[in-house]
Amino acid sequence: MSGRDPGATSTAPTTPRSRPFAATARDAVTIDLLSFTAHVVSNSPAVCRDLTLLYPTAVPGWPTLKAETLARFGVLESRDERGCRMVQVSVGETVVARVGSAAEAISLLESEIDAAAIRALARFVLVHAGALAVGSSGVVLPATSGGGKSTLVTALGLAGGRYLSDELAVIDPAIALWPFPKAPRLRDGGWAALQASFDLPPPSVVAPGLDGAPRYYLPVPRPFPGEGGAAVRYVVVPRRAPGATTRLEPLAKAHAVAALAEHSLNLPRHGRAGIELLARVAESAACYTLTYADVAEAVDVLLRLVAESGA
Amino acid sequence: MAISVSESRGSPSASMPWRAEHVAERLVEGEMVLYDSAHQRVHILNPTAAFIWQLCDGDHTPAAIVDTLAARYPEHRSAIEADVLGLLEAFRSAGILRP
């Protein structure tokens, strides 16, 4: 992710090579991610539309916090002197990339917005994890990229869980999980796996990831409502393994702390207080590893776990 | 359990292993979780290793650490010595002791 910091209002810098062929009206999209706000200016209706689908801040009931940090971004379409389409992405007043399509710009902008949000949400411990609530019980699923957590969290949302995030567990000092208001995003494999077992809605947006492979953004499935987040009651480390028998095994709490810490995105910022927080999360939660090959079976096992514990 | 904090006692000695300041520790159900913020790594110590870690306070030589453990199990002294020295070397290699 980029280490650039967003600055003041973004405007399209003009150079002899990138002067817009024709001026067009610009729209602005405001994205609220808890206490972080991204303000995006774009002359592309497609970009504005897709951003509101990727970051559906109008989801009823999702809690909001007072905005503390504002970052500005710009996505401007133009044509160069040869008439070739160009889309310029800027962070603050810095042009960070020029790409050939709005879809590529969306992927890049998503990365920049997420990175800025992670830097801004300093009072939370952030873990690269799926997060949802089953009833009032928060469930955290720490896993690396490509580990299947987006697929699993989306499936759990479709099966009755309340979606918080498919990639970022936001944990406050009271060890409650907050939503990261962003649409779940699936890769090809996850999309295919869910189509086989669930009644999937059509994707809101299909755009290439930074690796060029398609990403499917879905409508938010059953968002968790209410203020104050969901108390963490389960830490489940998912392990997707082709051909494996679905099994849920107890995980020693120290190992659950290690899993959370290893997947944390801002633990160095919190230092000792951060590891103390993660230890309290593990101590207050039931901790497991979940090995699975079939997503539908994994969903059944998890929902049964929560139901049988009376949460 | 409160997190223990390494106190500053002056210059460390190579013969007196001393926990690095950039390592946070937390006992979780009998196992010690170490978070190395300098390298962003996590280590988990079993109860015996955690006991040895606690003795890495800049006041105990490796021999003194062996003596402390062997006082409970004198018949296993040679094995204890090998384990303690091996563990201290592992701590050093992991960068969690002061140089």
Side-chain angles (χ1 to χ4, degrees):
Chain A
M1 288 182 172
S2 169
R4 302 179 196 86
D5 287 317
T9 303
S10 67
T11 56
T14 56
T15 67
R17 289 188 178 181
S18 63
R19 185 169 294 120
F21 182 75
T24 56
R26 297 180 188 182
D27 281 325
V29 175
T30 298
I31 296 167
D32 292 314
L33 296 167
L34 298 176
S35 56
F36 170 76
T37 297
H39 189 75
V40 183
V41 173
S42 179
N43 63 349
S44 166
V47 167
C48 292
R49 180 201 65 223
D50 286 355
L51 283 176
T52 58
L53 294 171
L54 261 61
Y55 298 96
T57 53
V59 174
W62 272 27
T64 57
L65 295 173
K66 180 183 172 187
E68 295 173 359
T69 309
L70 172 70
R72 300 182 190 277
F73 303 85
V75 181
L76 295 174
E77 286 194 5
S78 63
R79 292 190 183 275
D80 63 18
E81 62 273 12
R82 292 170 294 175
C84 296
R85 187 183 192 186
M86 182 182 68
V87 185
Q88 182 173 277
V89 178
S90 57
V91 177
E93 299 210 1
T94 303
V95 175
V96 301
R98 294 185 177 90
V99 295
S101 70
E104 289 174 271
I106 285 282
S107 288
L108 191 60
L109 185 65
E110 177 192 357
S111 175
E112 295 286 348
I113 290 173
D114 288 355
I118 286 167
R119 287 192 297 272
L121 296 175
R123 73 178 180 95
F124 299 96
V125 171
L126 305 175
V127 180
H128 195 192
L132 71 151
V134 180
S136 60
S137 298
V139 182
V140 180
L141 303 114
T144 52
S145 292
K149 61 184 177 305
S150 295
T151 306
L152 185 54
V153 168
T154 303
L156 284 161
L158 293 168
R162 294 286 193 169
Y163 176 88
L164 288 161
S165 175
D166 70 323
E167 62 182 0
L168 193 64
V170 181
I171 308 173
D172 76 8
I175 61 172
L177 277 177
W178 288 72
F180 187 69
K182 188 179 169 192
R185 183 183 70 174
L186 302 178
R187 302 178 187 217
D188 263 340
W191 174 249
L194 291 186
Q195 281 191 308
S197 304
F198 295 87
D199 187 15
L200 274 187
S204 306
V205 177
V206 181
L210 293 178
D211 58 2
R215 299 288 188 270
Y216 305 84
Y217 297 83
L218 298 183
V220 172
R222 294 171 56 84
F224 179 77
E227 301 295 323
V232 181
R233 293 283 179 252
Y234 299 91
V235 177
V236 180
V237 180
R239 292 175 181 159
R240 189 179 55 183
T245 303
T246 304
R247 57 186 187 275
L248 194 66
E249 295 165 305
L251 179 66
K253 291 184 185 289
H255 291 261
V257 176
L260 293 168
E262 284 164 350
H263 292 93
S264 174
L265 297 173
N266 66 348
L267 194 58
R269 195 170 195 171
H270 293 272
R272 296 168 190 275
I275 206 70
E276 171 65 20
L277 174 65
L278 294 182
R280 287 195 291 119
V281 167
E283 287 172 336
S284 67
C287 304
Y288 299 89
T289 59
L290 172 64
T291 304
Y292 70 100
D294 183 272
V295 174
E297 286 185 9
V299 166
D300 285 344
V301 164
L302 271 176
L303 293 181
R304 201 176 328 128
L305 166 70
V306 177
E308 289 174 354
S309 65
Chain B
M1 166 97 36
I3 296 176
S4 65
V5 177
S6 298
E7 298 174 11
S8 177
R9 293 192 182 86
S11 301
S13 163
S15 62
M16 301 275 201
W18 199 355
R19 301 185 294 274
E21 290 180 316
H22 57 76
V23 180
E25 59 194 55
R26 179 54 153 80
L27 196 62
V28 180
E29 292 195 344
E31 293 183 291
M32 180 73 76
V33 178
L34 303 182
Y35 175 61
D36 175 359
S37 59
H39 304 96
Q40 295 186 45
R41 285 200 291 256
V42 180
H43 308 276
I44 298 176
L45 306 182
N46 63 25
T48 302
F51 182 70
I52 294 169
W53 171 255
Q54 292 297 321
L55 293 175
C56 294
D57 55 6
D59 287 336
H60 291 80
T61 63
I65 295 173
V66 172
D67 288 343
T68 302
L69 282 163
R72 295 185 187 179
Y73 310 103
E75 67 279 17
H76 298 299
R77 186 183 177 88
S78 58
I80 288 172
E81 184 170 11
D83 288 346
V84 168
L85 295 180
L87 190 62
L88 292 177
E89 181 54 38
F91 288 165
R92 285 195 200 286
S93 296
I96 57 177
L97 293 178
R98 300 189 197 198

